[in-house]
Amino acid sequence: HFLEHYKNMALYLRKRLENKAEIAVWHVTETEEELLNLTSVPSDELEEISLFRSESQRRQKLAVRALLNEVFEEKMYLNHHDNGKPYLENSVTNISITHTDKYVAIIISDDDELGIDIESLDRDFSVVEKKALSEDEIEDLEDDDKKNEQLAIYWCAKEAIFKIMSQNRVVFAEQIEVEKFNVRKEGELEATFIHKDEYEEDFELEYMIFDRHVIVWLVG
């Protein structure tokens, strides 16, 4: 049964990007027990995972581990900096991680800083308009059925940039500006991060919509 299951592992997508970075997405269909059988989790990490009250969160964390096992040949030790940014203890490879109930995604690169964010489109993103968008961005919103998707993309893009910058107290509406875009199945985004001293940094991001989810990533 175990071998059978191993063959049908829920690796949803593995994609090499132009600059040697790579994305991998896992569709979380397994039970907690199946995921435990699927992966060898270092004991201190297992202890940390077991502290999560919600089964869904434990499954998401175990699915991250399943993805690491899938992508790396040797066993990886995952840890987090004080600001929550993940890193691999025994590798120079940079990593960014994101998850929802149904999907877990990582982006890795040996050379570049990274950011990735995934959200379910079943969520209502209307609060993003009030909290995270600038006046210009609000003007660029479509007034149609695509609006929730558009808001989700804005949110994921800003989250991904926030992750790559790893600064405290970033004001999304003022410091991260995403250029106007039309919602497609997949596309590119241009965005600017405005530092506190007003220095501006430009980023290019990519996004993809699949199975009622939005995923946005960037390699900086």
Side-chain angles (χ1 to χ4, degrees):
H1 159 76
F2 174 56
L3 285 174
E4 191 102 329
H5 186 78
Y6 201 76
K7 270 188 270 182
N8 309 325
M9 282 194 317
L11 182 69
Y12 182 83
L13 169 82
R14 196 165 170 187
K15 182 174 168 140
R16 267 204 178 283
L17 308 173
E18 284 164 21
N19 33 20
K20 288 201 218 147
E22 192 175 342
I23 282 181
V25 181
W26 188 277
H27 187 191
V28 190
T29 56
E30 302 83 357
T31 63
E32 192 175 342
E33 196 180 355
E34 283 174 325
L35 282 165
L36 277 167
N37 286 334
L38 210 61
T39 59
S40 56
V41 187
S43 52
D44 53 344
E45 213 175 301
L46 199 53
E47 209 173 304
E48 224 171 273
I49 290 170
S50 68
L51 295 175
F52 283 97
R53 288 243 171 97
S54 118
E55 194 222 346
S56 167
Q57 279 182 312
R58 292 196 303 270
R59 283 170 67 217
Q60 288 172 38
K61 298 287 180 189
L62 289 167
V64 169
R65 173 49 62 185
L67 255 186
L68 293 179
N69 279 17
E70 178 74 11
V71 170
F72 291 96
E73 277 170 23
E74 65 262 41
K75 188 168 175 177
M76 286 295 147
Y77 293 86
L78 183 65
N79 208 329
H80 295 82
H81 294 293
D82 290 344
N83 63 3
K85 199 171 186 173
Y87 68 95
L88 299 168
E89 285 182 10
N90 55 328
S91 173
V92 295
T93 301
N94 295 317
I95 188 167
S96 185
I97 299 172
T98 182
H99 27 71
T100 66
D101 277 352
K102 274 179 83 174
Y103 288 95
V104 165
I106 64 172
I107 183 168
I108 55 172
S109 166
D110 288 346
D111 304 320
D112 297 294
E113 288 292 316
L114 306 159
I116 194 166
D117 197 60
I118 190 170
E119 294 287 350
S120 165
L121 286 170
D122 293 333
R123 284 181 60 183
D124 175 6
F125 285 93
S126 54
V127 68
V128 169
E129 182 177 347
K130 299 178 199 73
K131 282 195 163 172
L133 297 195
S134 68
E135 285 174 21
D136 287 350
E137 288 168 334
I138 290 169
E139 272 177 31
D140 291 340
L141 284 172
E142 308 287 340
D143 274 327
D144 61 11
D145 55 352
K146 287 245 170 107
K147 187 173 176 181
N148 200 55
E149 286 181 16
Q150 204 177 4
L151 287 170
I153 293 168
Y154 270 119
W155 178 254
C156 286
K158 294 193 179 208
E159 270 289 325
I161 289 173
F162 174 66
K163 287 178 179 181
I164 212 170
M165 299 309 296
S166 64
Q167 293 184 9
N168 294 331
R169 300 202 180 88
V170 171
V171 183
F172 277 25
E174 292 169 20
Q175 287 182 264
I176 307 174
E177 184 83 36
V178 181
E179 298 295 318
K180 186 172 183 174
F181 62 93
N182 297 316
V183 177
R184 299 193 176 89
K185 283 293 279 180
E186 45 190 271
E188 292 178 0
L189 303 165
E190 289 182 11
T192 305
F193 184 89
I194 300 128
H195 289 262
K196 299 254 179 0
D197 63 3
E198 293 183 11
Y199 170 71
E200 295 189 2
E201 222 170 312
D202 292 330
F203 290 105
E204 286 183 11
L205 306 94
E206 291 183 69
Y207 73 88
M208 193 169 77
I209 296 175
F210 65 96
D211 188 23
R212 304 273 313 138
H213 282 70
V214 167
I215 187 168
V216 178
W217 66 89
L218 77 154
V219 181

